[in-house]
Amino acid sequence: MNARDNVRVDGARLWGSLMALAQVGATEKGGVRRLALTDLDREGRDLVCGWFREAGLAVTVDRIGNIFARRPGRDADAAPVMAGSHIDTQPSGGRFDGNYGVLAALEVVRTLNDRGITTQCPVEVAIWTNEEGTRFQPVMMGSGAFAGVFDLVDMLKRTDLDGKSVGSELKRIGYAGAAECGNHPVGAYFEAHIEQGPVLEDTGNQVGVVTGVMGLRWYQVTVSGQDSHAGPTPMHLRRDALVSTARIIDGVNRIATGHAPDGRATVGFLQVKPNSINVVPGEVRFSIDMRHAGTAGLDAMESEWRALCAEVADATRTSAEIADISRFEPTRFDEALVSSVRAATQQLGYRHMDIVSGAGHDAVYLARLAPTAMIFVPCEGGISHNEIENARPEDLEAGCNVLLHAMLARAGAD
Ligand code: HGY
Ligand code: MN
Ligand code: MN
Protein backbone atom coordinates (compact mmCIF):
# COMPACT_ATOMS: atom_id res chain seq x y z
CA MET A 1 0.00 0.00 0.00
CA ASN A 2 1.61 3.32 -0.85
CA ALA A 3 0.49 6.87 -0.06
CA ARG A 4 -0.95 7.29 -3.50
CA ASP A 5 -3.42 4.48 -2.99
CA ASN A 6 -5.51 6.68 -0.69
CA VAL A 7 -5.80 9.51 -3.19
CA ARG A 8 -9.38 10.14 -4.32
CA VAL A 9 -10.95 12.66 -6.69
CA ASP A 10 -13.35 15.38 -5.62
CA GLY A 11 -16.72 14.07 -6.82
CA ALA A 12 -18.56 17.30 -5.97
CA ARG A 13 -16.11 19.34 -8.04
CA LEU A 14 -16.50 16.91 -10.96
CA TRP A 15 -20.29 17.12 -10.73
CA GLY A 16 -20.10 20.94 -10.53
CA SER A 17 -18.02 21.12 -13.71
CA LEU A 18 -20.37 18.73 -15.50
CA MET A 19 -23.38 20.83 -14.57
CA ALA A 20 -21.63 24.08 -15.53
CA LEU A 21 -20.70 22.71 -18.96
CA ALA A 22 -24.23 21.31 -19.37
CA GLN A 23 -25.52 24.91 -19.24
CA VAL A 24 -23.87 25.51 -22.64
CA GLY A 25 -26.60 24.36 -25.02
CA ALA A 26 -28.98 23.36 -22.23
CA THR A 27 -32.40 22.23 -23.52
CA GLU A 28 -35.79 22.54 -21.84
CA LYS A 29 -35.97 18.80 -21.13
CA GLY A 30 -32.66 18.91 -19.25
CA GLY A 31 -30.43 17.74 -22.07
CA VAL A 32 -27.78 19.44 -24.18
CA ARG A 33 -27.76 20.49 -27.86
CA ARG A 34 -24.17 21.48 -28.68
CA LEU A 35 -23.54 20.40 -32.28
CA ALA A 36 -19.96 20.19 -33.53
CA LEU A 37 -18.41 23.51 -34.63
CA THR A 38 -21.43 25.62 -33.75
CA ASP A 39 -21.22 28.75 -31.58
CA LEU A 40 -22.25 26.57 -28.64
CA ASP A 41 -19.36 24.19 -29.33
CA ARG A 42 -17.05 27.21 -29.31
CA GLU A 43 -18.57 28.37 -26.02
CA GLY A 44 -18.08 24.91 -24.50
CA ARG A 45 -14.50 24.70 -25.77
CA ASP A 46 -13.71 28.19 -24.40
CA LEU A 47 -15.16 27.27 -20.99
CA VAL A 48 -13.21 24.00 -20.69
CA CYS A 49 -9.99 25.51 -22.04
CA GLY A 50 -10.34 28.19 -19.36
CA TRP A 51 -10.49 25.44 -16.76
CA PHE A 52 -7.46 23.77 -18.37
CA ARG A 53 -5.44 26.99 -18.06
CA GLU A 54 -6.62 27.54 -14.45
CA ALA A 55 -5.22 24.05 -13.75
CA GLY A 56 -1.86 25.14 -15.18
CA LEU A 57 -2.13 23.10 -18.37
CA ALA A 58 -0.52 24.17 -21.64
CA VAL A 59 -3.23 24.11 -24.33
CA THR A 60 -2.60 23.38 -28.02
CA VAL A 61 -5.12 22.97 -30.87
CA ASP A 62 -4.47 21.02 -34.06
CA ARG A 63 -5.69 21.71 -37.60
CA ILE A 64 -8.96 19.83 -37.16
CA GLY A 65 -9.67 21.49 -33.84
CA ASN A 66 -8.60 18.66 -31.51
CA ILE A 67 -7.55 20.22 -28.19
CA PHE A 68 -4.64 18.91 -26.05
CA ALA A 69 -4.02 20.20 -22.51
CA ARG A 70 -0.66 19.10 -21.13
CA ARG A 71 0.58 18.72 -17.54
CA PRO A 72 4.37 18.29 -17.42
CA GLY A 73 6.01 15.18 -16.00
CA ARG A 74 9.53 14.67 -14.71
CA ASP A 75 10.54 13.29 -18.10
CA ALA A 76 9.55 15.91 -20.69
CA ASP A 77 10.52 13.57 -23.52
CA ALA A 78 8.31 10.69 -22.42
CA ALA A 79 5.14 10.10 -24.42
CA PRO A 80 2.19 11.45 -22.41
CA VAL A 81 -0.49 9.38 -20.73
CA MET A 82 -3.62 10.83 -22.32
CA ALA A 83 -7.27 10.79 -21.31
CA GLY A 84 -10.21 12.55 -22.92
CA SER A 85 -13.34 12.31 -25.03
CA HIS A 86 -15.61 14.80 -26.84
CA ILE A 87 -17.90 17.72 -25.94
CA ASP A 88 -19.95 17.89 -29.12
CA THR A 89 -23.39 16.34 -28.62
CA GLN A 90 -26.31 14.86 -30.49
CA PRO A 91 -29.10 17.31 -31.51
CA SER A 92 -31.14 16.02 -28.56
CA GLY A 93 -28.20 14.85 -26.49
CA GLY A 94 -27.44 14.50 -22.81
CA ARG A 95 -25.23 16.10 -20.19
CA PHE A 96 -22.76 13.19 -19.86
CA ASP A 97 -22.03 11.56 -23.26
CA GLY A 98 -18.45 12.64 -24.02
CA ASN A 99 -18.48 15.52 -21.53
CA TYR A 100 -17.88 13.08 -18.69
CA GLY A 101 -14.69 11.70 -20.23
CA VAL A 102 -13.19 15.17 -20.72
CA LEU A 103 -14.13 16.47 -17.27
CA ALA A 104 -13.13 13.26 -15.49
CA ALA A 105 -9.68 13.64 -17.05
CA LEU A 106 -9.60 17.28 -15.89
CA GLU A 107 -10.63 16.14 -12.39
CA VAL A 108 -7.67 13.74 -12.38
CA VAL A 109 -5.37 16.68 -13.16
CA ARG A 110 -7.00 18.86 -10.50
CA THR A 111 -6.51 16.05 -7.96
CA LEU A 112 -2.84 15.61 -8.91
CA ASN A 113 -2.42 19.39 -8.46
CA ASP A 114 -4.20 19.37 -5.08
CA ARG A 115 -1.97 16.55 -3.83
CA GLY A 116 1.23 17.93 -5.37
CA ILE A 117 1.82 14.67 -7.21
CA THR A 118 4.45 14.73 -9.96
CA THR A 119 4.21 12.02 -12.59
CA GLN A 120 7.12 10.56 -14.50
CA CYS A 121 5.34 10.96 -17.85
CA PRO A 122 3.44 14.07 -18.88
CA VAL A 123 -0.35 13.80 -18.61
CA GLU A 124 -2.59 15.16 -21.37
CA VAL A 125 -6.31 15.80 -21.55
CA ALA A 126 -7.83 15.62 -25.06
CA ILE A 127 -11.04 16.99 -26.58
CA TRP A 128 -11.71 15.36 -29.96
CA THR A 129 -13.55 17.29 -32.67
CA ASN A 130 -16.92 16.05 -33.98
CA GLU A 131 -17.09 12.64 -32.34
CA GLU A 132 -20.86 12.35 -32.92
CA GLY A 133 -20.78 12.60 -36.71
CA THR A 134 -24.31 14.00 -36.70
CA ARG A 135 -23.71 17.44 -38.31
CA PHE A 136 -20.69 16.37 -40.36
CA GLN A 137 -19.81 12.79 -41.34
CA PRO A 138 -17.86 10.62 -40.68
CA VAL A 139 -18.36 9.81 -37.05
CA MET A 140 -15.29 10.30 -34.77
CA MET A 141 -13.84 12.68 -37.34
CA GLY A 142 -11.21 14.45 -35.19
CA SER A 143 -9.73 11.33 -33.63
CA GLY A 144 -9.88 9.55 -36.99
CA ALA A 145 -7.90 12.35 -38.67
CA PHE A 146 -5.46 12.35 -35.73
CA ALA A 147 -4.91 8.61 -36.18
CA GLY A 148 -4.45 8.99 -39.95
CA VAL A 149 -7.61 7.01 -40.74
CA PHE A 150 -9.15 10.05 -42.48
CA ASP A 151 -7.38 12.47 -44.82
CA LEU A 152 -7.29 15.89 -43.16
CA VAL A 153 -7.86 17.90 -46.36
CA ASP A 154 -10.86 15.72 -47.22
CA MET A 155 -12.28 16.16 -43.70
CA LEU A 156 -11.91 19.95 -43.80
CA LYS A 157 -14.00 19.94 -47.00
CA ARG A 158 -16.90 17.91 -45.53
CA THR A 159 -20.11 19.96 -45.39
CA ASP A 160 -23.31 19.94 -43.35
CA LEU A 161 -26.86 20.04 -44.80
CA ASP A 162 -26.53 23.83 -45.22
CA GLY A 163 -23.33 23.45 -47.23
CA LYS A 164 -21.06 24.86 -44.50
CA SER A 165 -17.64 23.13 -44.43
CA VAL A 166 -15.69 21.79 -41.45
CA GLY A 167 -12.76 24.03 -42.40
CA SER A 168 -14.81 27.23 -42.61
CA GLU A 169 -16.67 26.46 -39.36
CA LEU A 170 -13.40 25.73 -37.52
CA LYS A 171 -12.09 29.12 -38.65
CA ARG A 172 -15.35 30.86 -37.76
CA ILE A 173 -15.31 29.55 -34.18
CA GLY A 174 -11.59 30.16 -33.76
CA TYR A 175 -10.46 26.53 -33.43
CA ALA A 176 -8.61 25.99 -36.70
CA GLY A 177 -5.41 25.24 -34.78
CA ALA A 178 -1.83 25.51 -35.97
CA ALA A 179 -0.58 22.16 -34.65
CA GLU A 180 -0.23 19.37 -37.23
CA CYS A 181 -3.02 16.80 -36.93
CA GLY A 182 -1.38 13.58 -35.77
CA ASN A 183 2.31 12.83 -35.36
CA HIS A 184 1.69 13.61 -31.68
CA PRO A 185 3.15 11.01 -29.28
CA VAL A 186 0.67 9.13 -27.11
CA GLY A 187 2.04 6.74 -24.47
CA ALA A 188 -1.37 5.35 -23.51
CA TYR A 189 -4.96 6.54 -23.86
CA PHE A 190 -7.85 6.20 -21.40
CA GLU A 191 -11.46 7.26 -21.94
CA ALA A 192 -14.13 7.34 -19.25
CA HIS A 193 -17.70 7.28 -20.60
CA ILE A 194 -21.24 6.45 -19.55
CA GLU A 195 -22.21 2.99 -20.85
CA GLN A 196 -25.12 4.35 -22.92
CA GLY A 197 -26.83 0.97 -22.46
CA PRO A 198 -28.60 -0.89 -19.60
CA VAL A 199 -26.16 -3.69 -18.75
CA LEU A 200 -24.24 -2.19 -15.78
CA GLU A 201 -27.42 -0.92 -14.14
CA ASP A 202 -29.23 -4.25 -14.78
CA THR A 203 -26.42 -6.24 -13.19
CA GLY A 204 -25.76 -3.84 -10.29
CA ASN A 205 -22.21 -3.02 -11.38
CA GLN A 206 -20.73 0.41 -10.77
CA VAL A 207 -17.84 0.15 -13.24
CA GLY A 208 -17.52 -1.43 -16.68
CA VAL A 209 -14.05 -2.62 -17.68
CA VAL A 210 -14.36 -2.14 -21.43
CA THR A 211 -12.55 -4.88 -23.38
CA GLY A 212 -13.52 -3.63 -26.84
CA VAL A 213 -16.01 -1.90 -29.15
CA MET A 214 -18.51 -3.26 -31.68
CA GLY A 215 -17.80 -2.67 -35.37
CA LEU A 216 -19.90 0.00 -37.13
CA ARG A 217 -20.93 0.62 -40.74
CA TRP A 218 -22.87 3.72 -41.79
CA TYR A 219 -24.49 3.99 -45.22
CA GLN A 220 -26.54 6.60 -46.99
CA VAL A 221 -29.17 5.13 -49.32
CA THR A 222 -30.82 7.18 -52.08
CA VAL A 223 -33.96 5.55 -53.47
CA SER A 224 -35.16 7.06 -56.76
CA GLY A 225 -38.60 6.60 -58.32
CA GLN A 226 -40.75 9.24 -59.96
CA ASP A 227 -42.66 12.20 -58.56
CA SER A 228 -46.28 11.92 -59.77
CA HIS A 229 -49.72 13.23 -58.89
CA ALA A 230 -51.34 11.41 -55.95
CA GLY A 231 -54.77 11.52 -57.61
CA PRO A 232 -54.58 10.50 -61.27
CA THR A 233 -51.69 8.00 -60.92
CA PRO A 234 -53.06 4.44 -60.50
CA MET A 235 -51.31 2.32 -57.82
CA HIS A 236 -49.81 -0.21 -60.27
CA LEU A 237 -48.20 2.55 -62.37
CA ARG A 238 -46.43 4.34 -59.55
CA ARG A 239 -42.69 4.39 -58.83
CA ASP A 240 -43.04 5.33 -55.19
CA ALA A 241 -39.61 5.86 -53.54
CA LEU A 242 -41.10 6.02 -50.04
CA VAL A 243 -42.97 2.71 -50.32
CA SER A 244 -39.74 1.13 -51.53
CA THR A 245 -37.85 2.74 -48.62
CA ALA A 246 -40.41 1.53 -46.10
CA ARG A 247 -39.95 -2.08 -47.29
CA ILE A 248 -36.16 -1.74 -47.09
CA ILE A 249 -36.31 -0.28 -43.57
CA ASP A 250 -38.57 -3.09 -42.39
CA GLY A 251 -36.23 -5.60 -44.00
CA VAL A 252 -33.12 -4.07 -42.39
CA ASN A 253 -34.82 -4.32 -39.01
CA ARG A 254 -35.65 -8.00 -39.61
CA ILE A 255 -32.06 -8.74 -40.70
CA ALA A 256 -30.57 -7.20 -37.55
CA THR A 257 -33.12 -8.97 -35.37
CA GLY A 258 -32.08 -12.19 -37.07
CA HIS A 259 -28.49 -11.51 -35.98
CA ALA A 260 -29.40 -10.62 -32.38
CA PRO A 261 -28.06 -10.16 -29.74
CA ASP A 262 -24.92 -8.68 -31.31
CA GLY A 263 -26.48 -7.50 -34.57
CA ARG A 264 -27.97 -3.99 -34.51
CA ALA A 265 -29.36 -1.73 -37.25
CA THR A 266 -30.98 1.69 -37.09
CA VAL A 267 -32.49 4.08 -39.62
CA GLY A 268 -32.31 7.47 -37.92
CA PHE A 269 -32.17 9.97 -40.77
CA LEU A 270 -34.73 10.26 -43.57
CA GLN A 271 -35.41 12.92 -46.20
CA VAL A 272 -38.40 12.68 -48.56
CA LYS A 273 -38.61 14.68 -51.81
CA PRO A 274 -40.65 16.61 -52.63
CA ASN A 275 -42.28 15.92 -49.24
CA SER A 276 -45.68 17.16 -50.39
CA ILE A 277 -49.00 15.69 -49.29
CA ASN A 278 -50.34 15.13 -52.81
CA VAL A 279 -47.18 14.00 -54.63
CA VAL A 280 -45.97 10.40 -54.89
CA PRO A 281 -42.39 10.75 -53.56
CA GLY A 282 -39.81 10.41 -56.30
CA GLU A 283 -36.73 10.41 -54.08
CA VAL A 284 -35.89 9.37 -50.52
CA ARG A 285 -32.50 9.60 -48.79
CA PHE A 286 -31.99 7.69 -45.56
CA SER A 287 -29.18 6.47 -43.29
CA ILE A 288 -28.41 2.99 -42.04
CA ASP A 289 -26.32 2.50 -38.89
CA MET A 290 -25.28 -1.16 -38.67
CA ARG A 291 -23.24 -2.66 -35.81
CA HIS A 292 -21.99 -6.06 -34.72
CA ALA A 293 -19.39 -7.42 -32.28
CA GLY A 294 -17.77 -9.47 -35.09
CA THR A 295 -16.63 -8.69 -38.64
CA ALA A 296 -18.27 -11.88 -39.95
CA GLY A 297 -21.58 -10.73 -38.50
CA LEU A 298 -21.23 -7.28 -40.08
CA ASP A 299 -20.33 -8.84 -43.45
CA ALA A 300 -23.34 -11.19 -43.30
CA MET A 301 -25.73 -8.37 -42.40
CA GLU A 302 -24.30 -6.14 -45.10
CA SER A 303 -24.65 -8.72 -47.89
CA GLU A 304 -28.20 -9.58 -46.78
CA TRP A 305 -29.43 -6.02 -46.82
CA ARG A 306 -27.68 -5.12 -50.08
CA ALA A 307 -29.52 -8.06 -51.67
CA LEU A 308 -32.74 -6.83 -50.06
CA CYS A 309 -32.26 -3.33 -51.53
CA ALA A 310 -31.83 -4.73 -55.03
CA GLU A 311 -34.86 -7.01 -54.68
CA VAL A 312 -37.18 -4.25 -53.37
CA ALA A 313 -35.98 -1.73 -55.97
CA ASP A 314 -36.69 -4.24 -58.69
CA ALA A 315 -40.15 -5.09 -57.37
CA THR A 316 -41.14 -1.41 -57.08
CA ARG A 317 -39.51 -0.16 -60.33
CA THR A 318 -37.26 2.16 -58.32
CA SER A 319 -33.46 2.26 -57.94
CA ALA A 320 -31.40 2.24 -54.74
CA GLU A 321 -27.92 3.82 -54.63
CA ILE A 322 -25.83 2.93 -51.56
CA ALA A 323 -22.97 5.17 -50.32
CA ASP A 324 -20.59 3.96 -47.61
CA ILE A 325 -20.12 6.92 -45.19
CA SER A 326 -18.37 5.54 -42.11
CA ARG A 327 -16.97 2.25 -40.93
CA PHE A 328 -14.68 0.74 -38.38
CA GLU A 329 -14.13 -2.92 -37.59
CA PRO A 330 -14.70 -4.41 -34.12
CA THR A 331 -11.89 -3.26 -31.80
CA ARG A 332 -10.23 -5.08 -28.90
CA PHE A 333 -8.40 -2.88 -26.39
CA ASP A 334 -4.86 -3.50 -25.11
CA GLU A 335 -4.97 -6.41 -22.63
CA ALA A 336 -2.36 -4.94 -20.27
CA LEU A 337 -4.05 -1.55 -20.08
CA VAL A 338 -7.47 -3.16 -19.63
CA SER A 339 -5.97 -5.20 -16.79
CA SER A 340 -4.69 -1.99 -15.19
CA VAL A 341 -8.24 -0.63 -15.25
CA ARG A 342 -9.54 -3.86 -13.71
CA ALA A 343 -6.78 -3.79 -11.04
CA ALA A 344 -7.55 -0.16 -10.14
CA THR A 345 -11.25 -1.00 -9.89
CA GLN A 346 -10.55 -3.99 -7.62
CA GLN A 347 -8.16 -1.97 -5.45
CA LEU A 348 -10.88 0.67 -5.05
CA GLY A 349 -13.46 -1.99 -4.23
CA TYR A 350 -16.08 -1.14 -6.86
CA ARG A 351 -18.44 -3.84 -8.22
CA HIS A 352 -17.41 -4.28 -11.84
CA MET A 353 -17.72 -6.43 -14.93
CA ASP A 354 -16.04 -6.73 -18.33
CA ILE A 355 -18.16 -5.25 -21.12
CA VAL A 356 -18.01 -4.63 -24.88
CA SER A 357 -19.12 -1.18 -26.01
CA GLY A 358 -22.03 -1.02 -28.45
CA ALA A 359 -21.32 2.69 -28.99
CA GLY A 360 -18.36 3.97 -30.96
CA HIS A 361 -15.78 6.15 -29.19
CA ASP A 362 -12.65 8.11 -30.06
CA ALA A 363 -10.79 5.36 -28.20
CA VAL A 364 -11.40 3.13 -31.27
CA TYR A 365 -8.99 5.26 -33.31
CA LEU A 366 -6.55 5.96 -30.46
CA ALA A 367 -6.25 2.18 -30.11
CA ARG A 368 -4.49 2.21 -33.50
CA LEU A 369 -1.77 4.48 -32.08
CA ALA A 370 -1.21 3.44 -28.47
CA PRO A 371 -2.40 1.05 -25.75
CA THR A 372 -5.97 2.13 -25.06
CA ALA A 373 -8.65 1.28 -22.50
CA MET A 374 -12.05 2.61 -21.46
CA ILE A 375 -13.94 2.85 -18.20
CA PHE A 376 -17.76 2.75 -18.19
CA VAL A 377 -20.18 3.90 -15.53
CA PRO A 378 -23.94 3.22 -15.55
CA CYS A 379 -26.48 5.68 -16.94
CA GLU A 380 -30.08 5.70 -15.75
CA GLY A 381 -32.22 3.15 -17.59
CA GLY A 382 -29.36 2.73 -20.05
CA ILE A 383 -30.72 5.75 -21.92
CA SER A 384 -28.39 8.01 -23.92
CA HIS A 385 -28.54 10.12 -27.11
CA ASN A 386 -31.60 11.48 -25.37
CA GLU A 387 -32.16 14.67 -23.35
CA ILE A 388 -33.20 12.66 -20.28
CA GLU A 389 -29.75 10.99 -20.13
CA ASN A 390 -28.75 10.81 -16.47
CA ALA A 391 -26.03 9.35 -14.24
CA ARG A 392 -25.47 9.19 -10.47
CA PRO A 393 -22.76 11.46 -9.01
CA GLU A 394 -21.38 8.55 -6.98
CA ASP A 395 -20.96 6.42 -10.11
CA LEU A 396 -19.28 9.26 -12.02
CA GLU A 397 -16.95 9.73 -9.04
CA ALA A 398 -16.19 5.99 -8.91
CA GLY A 399 -15.31 5.89 -12.61
CA CYS A 400 -13.12 8.96 -12.15
CA ASN A 401 -11.25 7.33 -9.25
CA VAL A 402 -10.58 4.32 -11.48
CA LEU A 403 -9.31 6.67 -14.18
CA LEU A 404 -7.05 8.42 -11.66
CA HIS A 405 -5.44 5.23 -10.42
CA ALA A 406 -5.12 3.59 -13.82
CA MET A 407 -3.42 6.75 -15.13
CA LEU A 408 -1.15 6.99 -12.08
CA ALA A 409 -0.09 3.38 -12.53
CA ARG A 410 0.77 4.09 -16.16
CA ALA A 411 2.32 7.55 -15.75
CA GLY A 412 4.48 6.63 -12.76
CA ALA A 413 4.23 8.92 -9.76
CA ASP A 414 6.22 9.65 -6.65
O1 HGY B 1 -22.53 6.53 -32.80
C1 HGY B 1 -21.84 6.29 -31.81
O2 HGY B 1 -21.69 5.14 -31.44
C2 HGY B 1 -21.20 7.41 -31.02
O3 HGY B 1 -22.11 7.81 -30.03
N1 HGY B 1 -20.87 8.53 -31.86
MN1 MN C 1 -19.69 9.63 -26.76
MN1 MN D 1 -22.69 9.86 -28.57
Side-chain angles (χ1 to χ4, degrees), residues 14 16-19 21-22 48 51-52 87 98-108 110 125 400 403:
L14 170 59
S17 300
L18 279 162
M19 292 307 107
L21 179 55
V48 178
W51 291 337
F52 287 161
I87 65 166
N99 300 300
Y100 170 56
V102 171
L103 297 180
L106 173 59
E107 177 52 35
V108 166
R110 285 168 166 170
V125 181
C400 193
L403 179 66

Side-chain angles (χ1 to χ4, degrees), residues 90 97 131-132 139-140 196 216 218 289 291 358-360 385:
Q90 286 287 328
D97 175 2
E131 187 278 344
E132 292 292 0
V139 70
M140 295 136 58
Q196 300 184 292
L216 166 151
W218 280 6
D289 172 319
R291 310 209 187 191
H385 282 193

